[in-house]
Amino acid sequence: MEINNKLDKSFGPIGTISGVTMFAVGIILSFFSLSGIFLIVIGSFVGFSSTSTVIDYDKRRVRFNNNLFGIIKIGKWLDIEPSMKIGLRQSRRTWRAHSRGSRSVDITDKDYRIILFDSNCKQIMHLMKSASTDSAKAELELLSSQFGLKEC
Protein backbone atom coordinates (compact mmCIF):
# COMPACT_ATOMS: atom_id res chain seq x y z
CA MET A 1 0.00 0.00 0.00
CA GLU A 2 1.47 3.35 -1.08
CA ILE A 3 0.64 6.64 0.62
CA ASN A 4 1.46 9.99 -0.99
CA ASN A 5 2.21 12.87 1.42
CA LYS A 6 2.29 16.39 0.01
CA LEU A 7 4.99 18.54 1.54
CA ASP A 8 5.63 21.98 0.00
CA LYS A 9 5.30 24.09 -3.10
CA SER A 10 8.68 24.41 -4.82
CA PHE A 11 8.60 28.20 -5.21
CA GLY A 12 6.66 29.04 -2.06
CA PRO A 13 3.29 30.73 -1.75
CA ILE A 14 4.29 33.93 -3.56
CA GLY A 15 5.80 31.97 -6.46
CA THR A 16 2.69 29.80 -6.68
CA ILE A 17 0.40 32.83 -6.91
CA SER A 18 2.67 34.43 -9.53
CA GLY A 19 2.86 31.22 -11.56
CA VAL A 20 -0.88 30.63 -11.57
CA THR A 21 -1.41 34.27 -12.61
CA MET A 22 1.09 33.87 -15.48
CA PHE A 23 -0.65 30.64 -16.48
CA ALA A 24 -4.08 32.34 -16.59
CA VAL A 25 -2.74 35.35 -18.51
CA GLY A 26 -1.02 32.97 -20.94
CA ILE A 27 -4.29 31.17 -21.63
CA ILE A 28 -6.05 34.46 -22.37
CA LEU A 29 -3.13 35.76 -24.45
CA SER A 30 -2.88 32.57 -26.51
CA PHE A 31 -6.20 33.44 -28.19
CA PHE A 32 -4.54 36.54 -29.68
CA SER A 33 -0.87 35.55 -30.04
CA LEU A 34 1.31 32.46 -29.96
CA SER A 35 3.56 34.08 -27.35
CA GLY A 36 0.93 33.12 -24.76
CA ILE A 37 2.16 29.53 -24.95
CA PHE A 38 5.47 30.66 -23.43
CA LEU A 39 3.59 32.16 -20.46
CA ILE A 40 1.53 28.99 -20.08
CA VAL A 41 4.66 26.80 -19.88
CA ILE A 42 6.57 29.06 -17.45
CA GLY A 43 3.48 29.76 -15.35
CA SER A 44 2.52 26.11 -15.04
CA PHE A 45 6.08 25.17 -14.02
CA VAL A 46 6.34 27.86 -11.33
CA GLY A 47 2.73 27.66 -10.17
CA PHE A 48 2.16 23.92 -9.98
CA SER A 49 5.58 22.38 -9.11
CA SER A 50 5.71 20.85 -5.64
CA THR A 51 7.39 18.23 -3.47
CA SER A 52 5.95 15.09 -1.93
CA THR A 53 6.93 11.80 -0.33
CA VAL A 54 5.58 8.36 -1.23
CA ILE A 55 5.68 5.68 1.48
CA ASP A 56 5.32 2.04 0.40
CA TYR A 57 4.49 -0.06 3.46
CA ASP A 58 4.46 -3.42 1.64
CA LYS A 59 7.94 -3.16 0.10
CA ARG A 60 9.42 -1.14 3.02
CA ARG A 61 10.66 1.80 0.95
CA VAL A 62 10.16 5.55 0.59
CA ARG A 63 10.61 8.04 -2.26
CA PHE A 64 11.04 11.82 -2.20
CA ASN A 65 9.43 13.33 -5.31
CA ASN A 66 9.80 16.62 -7.12
CA ASN A 67 6.52 17.04 -9.00
CA LEU A 68 7.36 19.13 -12.06
CA PHE A 69 4.35 20.96 -13.53
CA GLY A 70 2.33 19.18 -10.82
CA ILE A 71 2.28 15.89 -12.76
CA ILE A 72 5.77 14.67 -13.69
CA LYS A 73 7.16 12.88 -10.63
CA ILE A 74 10.93 12.66 -10.33
CA GLY A 75 12.45 10.74 -7.43
CA LYS A 76 14.41 7.68 -6.38
CA TRP A 77 13.24 4.86 -4.10
CA LEU A 78 15.12 4.33 -0.83
CA ASP A 79 14.82 1.03 1.00
CA ILE A 80 14.17 1.20 4.75
CA GLU A 81 16.95 -0.52 6.69
CA PRO A 82 16.65 -1.73 10.31
CA SER A 83 19.48 0.57 11.43
CA MET A 84 17.59 3.71 10.33
CA LYS A 85 15.76 5.89 12.83
CA ILE A 86 12.76 8.18 12.69
CA GLY A 87 12.06 11.42 14.50
CA LEU A 88 9.84 14.46 14.89
CA ARG A 89 11.01 18.06 14.43
CA GLN A 90 9.26 21.40 14.39
CA SER A 91 9.68 23.29 11.13
CA ARG A 92 9.40 27.02 10.64
CA ARG A 93 9.83 28.29 7.10
CA THR A 94 9.61 31.95 6.18
CA TRP A 95 9.01 33.06 2.62
CA ARG A 96 9.93 36.64 1.77
CA ALA A 97 9.01 38.62 -1.33
CA HIS A 98 10.09 42.16 -2.13
CA SER A 99 8.00 44.61 -4.11
CA ARG A 100 9.24 47.45 -6.28
CA GLY A 101 8.24 49.90 -3.57
CA SER A 102 10.91 48.47 -1.19
CA ARG A 103 8.33 46.65 0.89
CA SER A 104 8.72 43.06 1.89
CA VAL A 105 6.03 40.49 2.58
CA ASP A 106 6.88 37.68 4.99
CA ILE A 107 4.81 34.50 5.14
CA THR A 108 5.71 32.02 7.89
CA ASP A 109 4.70 28.36 7.85
CA LYS A 110 4.90 26.49 11.15
CA ASP A 111 4.37 22.74 11.15
CA TYR A 112 5.79 19.48 12.46
CA ARG A 113 7.80 17.15 10.22
CA ILE A 114 8.42 13.42 10.56
CA ILE A 115 11.98 12.85 9.37
CA LEU A 116 13.90 9.72 8.42
CA PHE A 117 17.44 9.52 9.84
CA ASP A 118 20.37 7.18 9.25
CA SER A 119 22.02 5.20 12.07
CA ASN A 120 24.06 8.27 13.17
CA CYS A 121 20.95 10.51 13.43
CA LYS A 122 21.87 12.35 10.23
CA GLN A 123 18.79 13.56 8.37
CA ILE A 124 17.93 11.71 5.16
CA MET A 125 14.50 13.02 4.12
CA HIS A 126 11.19 14.43 5.31
CA LEU A 127 8.41 11.85 5.32
CA MET A 128 5.31 13.73 6.47
CA LYS A 129 4.16 17.07 7.74
CA SER A 130 1.42 17.81 10.22
CA ALA A 131 -0.15 20.95 11.64
CA SER A 132 -0.38 19.78 15.26
CA THR A 133 1.88 17.95 17.68
CA ASP A 134 -0.70 15.32 18.58
CA SER A 135 -1.37 14.18 15.02
CA ALA A 136 2.37 14.19 14.25
CA LYS A 137 3.10 11.98 17.28
CA ALA A 138 0.33 9.58 16.26
CA GLU A 139 1.75 9.31 12.73
CA LEU A 140 5.26 8.88 14.15
CA GLU A 141 4.13 5.95 16.30
CA LEU A 142 2.33 4.39 13.33
CA LEU A 143 5.39 4.68 11.07
CA SER A 144 7.81 3.42 13.71
CA SER A 145 5.62 0.38 14.39
CA GLN A 146 5.09 -0.34 10.67
CA PHE A 147 8.79 -0.21 9.82
CA GLY A 148 10.19 -1.28 13.21
CA LEU A 149 12.32 1.87 13.56
CA LYS A 150 13.60 3.48 16.75
CA GLU A 151 13.19 7.17 17.49
CA CYS A 152 16.17 9.49 17.19
Side-chain angles (χ1 to χ4, degrees), residues 16 20 25 37 55 60 71 108 117 127 136 141 146-147 152:
T16 301
V20 171
V25 168
I37 296 172
I55 301 172
R60 293 181 50 88
I71 3 173
T108 303
F117 296 97
L127 295 178
E141 290 176 10
Q146 286 281 338
F147 291 130
C152 185

Side-chain angles (χ1 to χ4, degrees), residues 43-62:
S44 63
F45 179 74
V46 173
F48 302 122
S49 293
S50 64
T51 59
S52 65
T53 304
V54 179
I55 301 172
D56 189 356
Y57 290 108
D58 298 332
K59 296 181 181 177
R60 293 181 50 88
R61 61 186 185 166
V62 293

Side-chain angles (χ1 to χ4, degrees), residues 2 6 18 42 44 55 60-61 63 65 72 79 88 111 114 124-125 127 147:
E2 291 184 2
K6 294 180 181 179
S18 301
I42 297 298
S44 63
I55 301 172
R60 293 181 50 88
R61 61 186 185 166
R63 179 173 69 180
N65 285 331
I72 303 169
D79 293 328
L88 180 65
D111 55 19
I114 298 174
I124 297 175
M125 74 171 65
L127 295 178
F147 291 130

Side-chain angles (χ1 to χ4, degrees), residues 83-89 115-123 140 144 149-152:
S83 64
M84 291 181 175
K85 298 179 182 178
I86 195 167
L88 180 65
R89 300 282 189 267
I115 302 172
L116 183 66
F117 296 97
D118 65 0
S119 59
N120 298 325
C121 287
K122 184 179 175 187
Q123 180 178 329
L140 178 67
S144 64
L149 300 175
K150 296 178 184 177
E151 291 187 27
C152 185

Side-chain angles (χ1 to χ4, degrees), residues 5-8 87-93 109-115 126-140 143:
N5 299 307
K6 294 180 181 179
L7 294 176
D8 296 312
L88 180 65
R89 300 282 189 267
Q90 183 178 6
S91 172
R92 179 189 292 168
R93 287 186 152 186
D109 292 333
K110 296 178 184 176
D111 55 19
Y112 295 91
R113 304 276 174 133
I114 298 174
I115 302 172
H126 293 245
L127 295 178
M128 289 183 176
K129 78 174 185 176
S130 180
S132 69
T133 310
D134 298 332
S135 62
K137 286 181 181 178
E139 290 292 334
L140 178 67
L143 280 173

